[in-house]
Amino acid sequence: MSLSPALPPPPVSVVGVGADGWSGLADGAREVLREAEVVIGGARQLDLLPPECAGARVAWPSPLRPAVPRLLAEHRERRIVVLASGDPMFYGIGRALAEELGPEALRVLPHPSSVSYACARLGWPLEDTEVVTLVGRPASRLAVSLHEGRRLLALSADASTPATVAALLTAHGFGPSRMRVLEQLGSEAEAYVEGVAETWTHAPGDRLNVIAIDCRASQDALRLGAVPGLPDEAYEHDGQLTKRHIRAATLGALAPAPGELLWDVGGGSGSIAIEWMRTHPTCRAVSVERDPARAERITRNADRLGVPGLHVVTGAAPSSLSELAVPDAVFIGGGLTAPGLLDACWEALRPGGRLVANTVTLESEALLAERYRTYGGELTRLAVAHAVPVGGFTGWRQAMPVTQWSVRKPSAAATPPVPGDRT
């Protein structure tokens, strides 16, 4: 007698639920919950279910993410339904479940998200509205999205978030911005309060809230654009700063793309890593700086300029590079003559990745010229002059020229570079 193969475990259903609870669910979602043998969700979500949902109710522990594989494994032979707030695939548990089980093992029944409700109440086109989540993330990440005339929706962590956002807007020169806090969207208890960031005095309300921001800059606000080359005064520094025009050219050579990782070696003030990360929310960077005071300054700059996720490593290169993830791009802004540094960065770089190195000294320039002869790429001299008063007239003051070597590492299938080949 042949044995039939074991049947696969039933797929996990993920049901989005709003603040209106059971009454707001579609018939299909209600039927899935009635048939569930196990319902996993937050305590607040589980309390929204009526007695007719007879499956065992399991509340997520804290922290949630590490518990996902264990709970799914414990109940894998039963019909599992996971409850999510709103749309499970929009900053919800659906992502963690898809990563754990694979998308094919999920049946997702979404509910309108708080963002959809907010845009409907405000009359804002959803496709033109930027969303920043502050749930489990620093409020400072909102700073990168502050631009005159922009409309933002901030997903609050709790009832105290609106006051935190108001203070951040004011500190960044956006005190005149209009704020509206929309609470319990989609429920009978829906409400909102509004005001101006710099005069915000509302007491904390409901923890389930979304903050709508009409960005308005004060007259003296420092203008920070959306492309690399922020004003030098945007940074706290001790003179170790890649200046604005050189910085813009350097980021152009590094060519950041979504999801990529940069090593910023010899971080100084962290400007290259910070502006790399500002180009896209998924860009990542590690800034390596041997001086502890400068490393702390990099962290402060990153937090103030909206990229608190910048990873700062305090230590000397190349010894501090060995444990880092493989980079897509490397920038060397200092320490080029340190023994083995350039070789270590080149070896660590993934095939097809980019390396950019800047220097102002003849010794490091000679080193870059030698590597240019070996590996090719582009060797460029960058010179910037600024107009300054000369008596009653105006003349040019030349900054120190910067020599820049930029090169792309051949892919694994490519022919190894030939010394002297510049193609």
Side-chain angles (χ1 to χ4, degrees), residues 244-255:
R244 182 178 193 174
H245 299 90
I246 303 299
R247 193 184 327 129
T250 300
L251 267 296
L254 286 167

Side-chain angles (χ1 to χ4, degrees), residues 2 18 64 66 87 92 101 123 132 138 140 155 158 197 216 219 226 238 266 294 315 325 331 335 373 398 413:
S2 61
L64 184 152
D87 186 342
L101 300 174
V132 181
S140 58
L155 307 183
D158 53 38
R216 293 292 180 268
Q219 290 186 350
D238 61 359
R294 287 178 179 164
F331 171 66
R373 287 191 295 270
Q398 185 78 38

